[in-house]
Amino acid sequence: MIPEDRRDGPGAGEESTQLQAAGSVRKGCDTLAAQTGHLQSRRARIHQQINKELRMRTGAENLYRASSNARVRETVALELSYVNSNLQLLKEELEELNCSVDTEMPEREGIAVPMIPLGLKETKELDWSTALKELISGHFGEDSASYETEIRELTDLRQAVRTPSRSESGLELLTAYYNQLCFLDARFVTPAQSLGLLFQWYDSLTGVPAQQRALAFEKGSVLFNIGALHTQIGARQDRSCPAGTNRAAESFQRAAGAFSLLREKFSHAPSPDMSPASLSMLQQLMTAQAQECVFEGLSLPAPAAPHDCVAQLRLAQEAAQVAAQYELVHQNMTRPPVCSYVPFPWTTLVHVKAKHFRALAHYHAAVALCDSPRAEAELLALEQVLGPPCEPRGPVLPQEHEERRKLGKAHLKRAILGQEEALRLHAVGRALRRLDLLQAVLGQALQRSLTRYSELDLEDDFFEATEAPDIQPKTHQRLELRAPSFSRVKAADIFHRLGPLSVFSAKNRWRLAGPVRVTRGDGGFGFTLRGDSPVLIAAVIPGGHAAAAGLQEGDYIVSVNGQPCKWWRHAEVVAQLKGVGDEGASLQVVTLLPSAEPPSTGDRRPALRGLLRNQKECVWGTSVPARASPRPLLGRSRKGKRDKPGGELPPAAHP
């Protein structure tokens, strides 16, 4: 992998402690026992350098915030970029040192081209306590001190999200936190009022801090990290086997889906890495890397027919497809404003890959030509691969073996020129690596083309072959974006005790009444219930016991005999009311108020049109006929007595 130019957040001492903790030897692993002293000394040296860079970054950040001079801020931003680049290189060196067991494994037969992973956005610690307690006590009317456990759970979850593991468990952690943010957004945030918290995240590409009071910025940053973590998981896969290439391709597809969703949902982010132009570039980059994994899966050595003409033609088209996608990514990387902050190693690597895969397309086409296809189907496939897309069939290919050899030689010449150009570009923007895998890949491909060219080069071959045509890009496995599946991680609302979101949220206003004592009369309690969680008083009989107690249509029952019942179902509330004696039931209810009306004044009868559509409508008692008053709850009508011997209640009916 090449450097991601990942910029890290504040907290020099805290981050250094985390890095030192990451430097411990893995449990149960004794293969490094003989190297413990040497490795520990190298770790200590790297930690000292990391601490130095962190102190320099902290000073640059303070200067950036304090200065109002545009030129000074620009200079400091460049310095931050340089410092963060060094810091990321040191972190990667430390990680490679900690995982040195993997680097000492026997080398596999093929060498994989390095991928581009994306660094995670980092953030500062956040204190949820003050803002949430004010909302819980002020708007919800609850004792905020009783929600210390919930607030601590949310704080611990956010703290864990700052350093997720590069695995499925890390993705599940980020997804769980994103789901909690959705719950917070639905419960505590209104279009006119935010939580009042300042969310600060560091740009993944530039390292410059960005802050915003909108909870949407927190959600967008977490979604960005979900996509970035997918890129890191994909880049770490062993692509020397079909299973590894499939896993890598799927990871890059999911990363592209996350960036696409982020571009659609969060369009006003204050940081460059979340701008529409950057997200579009990242989506295209991850799609190209996924397509590259498809090519690698097809190019793995097959047990049978290694020189099959049709297989070589397919590889040529797949390589041309990968090259075309990387060329598009390179164009977007070199356009403003992306070109001003995208890491230079990224631009160089993408350009190198475009040249490399274009050369591979010509190489595989040459192999197909030189294998002397004789079947009519193979000749037709060759014409379609080598011909321009505007023609239904490509140019007529030479029928003679010698002519096909010369055309294959021309394709090999273009392959050699392309691979030499890729090596030249690589030398210009060389990544700082102890083992340069990319150079090894390019050198191996060039040597393979030269060897094949020398086999075709005859001593008496004095005629120059015609210019080789372009290879038409085509893929037989077009990949689609895979949006994040947030429902696969089950997350319960941390602030579940506040009540169902359909009623108990900052978007609604209500008044709490009670407890009121309601007794049972000959006709029952005198009201009809409807819905679940919370149960709604759908109708109140004028002159009945419920009306006398002050209950009205539209009230929500939140407590029965001192037991909170916000989450009770309709049958549970009815069963509790049926069990009361002559003393009646003690109820607490809330009345929704119009949004423009203050909580302490106004009519108690709310407007329930929108809310009733979301409620599960069911009535306990007899059916309510049209143009008639509803039957009282638990009332026994004459019809009910005739239909139900012994005075049993009829089943719930819809009005």
Side-chain angles (χ1 to χ4, degrees):
M1 297 183 293
I2 69 164
E4 308 132 30
D5 272 22
R6 168 182 167 187
R7 272 53 177 182
D8 304 289
E14 176 186 68
E15 190 169 4
S16 177
T17 302
Q18 294 174 355
L19 289 172
Q20 291 175 5
S24 58
V25 182
R26 293 180 180 179
K27 293 182 179 180
C29 179
D30 59 350
T31 57
L32 296 178
Q35 308 174 17
T36 302
H38 177 63
L39 292 178
Q40 291 297 342
S41 62
R42 291 182 60 188
R43 288 193 183 100
R45 176 180 57 82
I46 295 175
H47 283 310
Q48 291 176 359
Q49 295 175 350
I50 288 176
N51 290 333
K52 179 181 177 181
E53 295 293 339
L54 288 173
R55 289 193 297 268
M56 293 177 61
R57 188 180 67 181
T58 302
E61 290 171 355
N62 293 335
L63 180 59
Y64 182 86
R65 296 190 192 97
S67 177
S68 59
N69 187 293
R71 182 171 297 179
V72 173
R73 290 172 67 90
E74 182 179 358
T75 304
V76 174
L78 290 175
E79 182 66 21
L80 272 174
S81 178
Y82 175 75
V83 170
N84 282 314
S85 297
N86 291 340
L87 185 60
Q88 181 61 29
L89 289 174
L90 290 170
K91 284 185 176 182
E92 291 183 353
E93 184 179 354
L94 179 63
E95 183 178 354
E96 291 175 1
L97 187 63
N98 294 334
C99 301
S100 56
V101 176
D102 297 334
T103 61
E104 294 180 1
M105 292 176 63
E107 296 183 0
R108 54 179 181 264
E109 183 177 350
I111 304 176
V113 180
M115 295 291 186
I116 298 180
L118 186 60
L120 301 181
K121 294 173 71 70
E122 297 194 3
T123 182
K124 286 185 173 181
E125 291 186 4
L126 185 67
D127 182 16
W128 298 91
S129 179
T130 303
L132 292 181
K133 284 184 175 180
E134 288 180 357
L135 278 170
I136 291 172
S137 60
H139 186 87
F140 292 86
E142 301 271 357
D143 181 14
S144 59
S146 64
Y147 285 86
E148 289 282 356
T149 303
E150 285 85 350
I151 295 175
R152 190 182 309 112
E153 181 180 354
L154 179 63
T155 302
D156 293 342
L157 179 59
R158 189 181 190 273
Q159 183 66 19
V161 163
R162 295 176 63 187
T163 54
S165 61
R166 297 183 183 182
S167 61
E168 284 296 326
S169 60
L171 289 171
E172 292 177 0
L173 181 65
L174 287 169
T175 304
Y177 181 59
Y178 184 89
N179 289 337
Q180 289 300 327
L181 292 178
C182 293
F183 284 128
L184 291 176
D185 193 8
R187 188 179 295 280
F188 294 109
V189 179
T190 65
Q193 183 179 2
S194 65
L195 286 173
L197 297 171
L198 191 62
F199 301 99
Q200 178 169 315
W201 289 81
Y202 284 73
D203 191 278
S204 176
L205 301 177
T206 65
V208 177
Q211 53 190 14
Q212 205 173 67
R213 293 192 179 276
L215 185 63
F217 182 43
E218 179 87 354
K219 292 171 63 178
S221 299
V222 174
L223 181 56
F224 183 94
N225 278 357
I226 290 176
L229 193 56
H230 274 300
T231 68
Q232 296 182 12
I233 293 175
R236 293 167 65 91
Q237 295 298 325
D238 179 12
R239 306 195 306 277
S240 62
C241 60
T245 57
N246 291 336
R247 288 193 299 267
E250 181 181 358
S251 295
F252 289 124
Q253 284 178 267
R254 294 190 181 279
F259 295 136
S260 176
L261 180 63
L262 185 59
R263 183 163 55 91
E264 295 174 3
K265 300 296 183 182
F266 304 95
S267 57
H268 301 289
S271 57
D273 57 355
M274 293 171 60
S275 65
S278 297
L279 293 174
S280 178
M281 180 271 295
L282 291 174
Q283 176 185 338
Q284 293 173 350
L285 173 61
M286 300 311 154
T287 303
Q289 294 191 138
Q291 199 68 48
E292 180 182 349
C293 294
V294 172
F295 171 81
E296 290 179 337
L298 294 174
S299 61
L300 292 175
H307 301 292
D308 181 45
C309 175
V310 176
Q312 293 296 325
L313 291 177
R314 183 177 178 183
L315 286 174
Q317 287 189 310
E318 291 286 353
Q321 178 71 28
V322 175
Q325 292 190 354
Y326 274 123
E327 287 168 358
L328 180 61
V329 175
H330 184 257
Q331 291 177 5
N332 289 334
M333 283 185 172
T334 54
R335 292 174 183 169
V338 178
C339 63
S340 61
Y341 50 77
V342 70
F344 180 72
W346 288 19
T347 308
T348 304
L349 180 58
V350 167
H351 198 188
V352 169
K353 283 191 173 187
K355 297 292 184 182
H356 170 62
F357 283 100
R358 184 68 64 186
L360 283 180
H362 286 287
Y363 171 80
H364 288 290
V367 172
L369 281 165
C370 297
D371 280 347
S372 301
R374 293 181 179 149
E376 182 66 23
E378 293 180 348
L379 288 174
L380 180 60
L382 270 172
E383 293 176 358
Q384 293 175 347
V385 170
L386 302 180
C390 57
E391 300 180 7
R393 290 188 60 176
V396 178
L397 292 176
Q399 299 294 322
E400 298 296 331
H401 172 72
E402 180 63 20
E403 296 298 324
R404 286 199 299 272
R405 183 190 67 83
K406 291 181 179 180
L407 184 56
K409 185 177 176 182
H411 278 287
L412 282 175
K413 179 182 266 189
R414 289 194 64 176
I416 292 171
L417 292 176
Q419 286 153 357
E420 288 177 344
E421 177 66 10
L423 278 170
R424 186 191 66 81
L425 292 172
H426 171 263
V428 173
R430 190 168 202 167
L432 300 177
R433 281 293 183 272
R434 183 176 54 189
L435 176 61
D436 199 336
L437 295 177
L438 182 58
Q439 185 178 13
V441 171
L442 298 176
Q444 186 183 68
L446 177 59
Q447 185 61 40
R448 184 175 56 178
S449 298
L450 289 172
T451 302
R452 189 81 182 194
Y453 188 86
S454 64
E455 294 174 356
L456 298 177
D457 194 17
L458 302 178
E459 294 182 0
D460 56 348
D461 192 1
F462 300 106
F463 297 97
E464 289 292 333
T466 58
E467 183 69 19
D470 292 333
I471 308 300
Q472 299 307 315
K474 182 181 179 181
T475 178
H476 300 270
Q477 188 178 343
R478 184 170 297 277
L479 303 176
E480 298 180 355
L481 304 182
R482 296 191 179 184
S485 178
F486 300 110
S487 60
R488 68 184 181 87
V489 178
K490 303 300 181 182
D493 184 7
I494 292 179
F495 295 92
H496 177 270
R497 288 195 295 132
L498 288 174
L501 283 168
S502 60
V503 176
F504 300 97
S505 71
K507 300 177 180 64
N508 298 326
R509 305 174 74 83
W510 62 84
R511 177 171 47 243
L512 180 66
V516 296
R517 178 69 59 178
V518 183
T519 58
R520 193 205 314 267
D522 294 336
F525 287 97
F527 56 71
T528 303
L529 302 183
R530 176 185 299 163
D532 291 329
S533 304
V535 175
L536 172 72
I537 298 179
V540 176
I541 297 178
H545 288 248
L551 299 180
Q552 295 190 10
E553 176 186 345
D555 289 345
Y556 287 93
I557 300 178
V558 296
S559 174
V560 178
N561 292 330
Q563 302 182 51
C565 63
K566 294 177 181 178
W567 289 98
W568 286 11
R569 300 182 64 82
H570 177 274
E572 294 176 290
V573 175
V574 170
Q576 187 70 23
L577 292 175
K578 286 176 61 178
V580 301
D582 296 337
E583 71 279 3
S586 175
L587 304 180
Q588 266 191 317
V589 297
V590 296
T591 302
L592 286 179
L593 304 172
S595 58
E597 182 182 352
S600 58
T601 61
D603 186 12
R604 291 184 86 244
R605 190 176 302 275
L608 297 174
R609 296 177 182 175
L611 290 172
L612 287 178
R613 295 192 189 101
N614 298 327
Q615 292 288 329
K616 178 182 177 183
E617 297 187 358
C618 57
V619 180
W620 187 274
T622 58
S623 301
V624 182
R627 301 189 185 94
S629 299
R631 298 295 182 186
L633 175 70
L634 305 181
R636 301 175 182 175
S637 64
R638 296 178 181 177
K639 181 179 178 181
K641 291 181 179 180
R642 289 194 304 267
D643 296 341
K644 300 291 182 179
E648 295 181 1
L649 292 172
H654 295 274

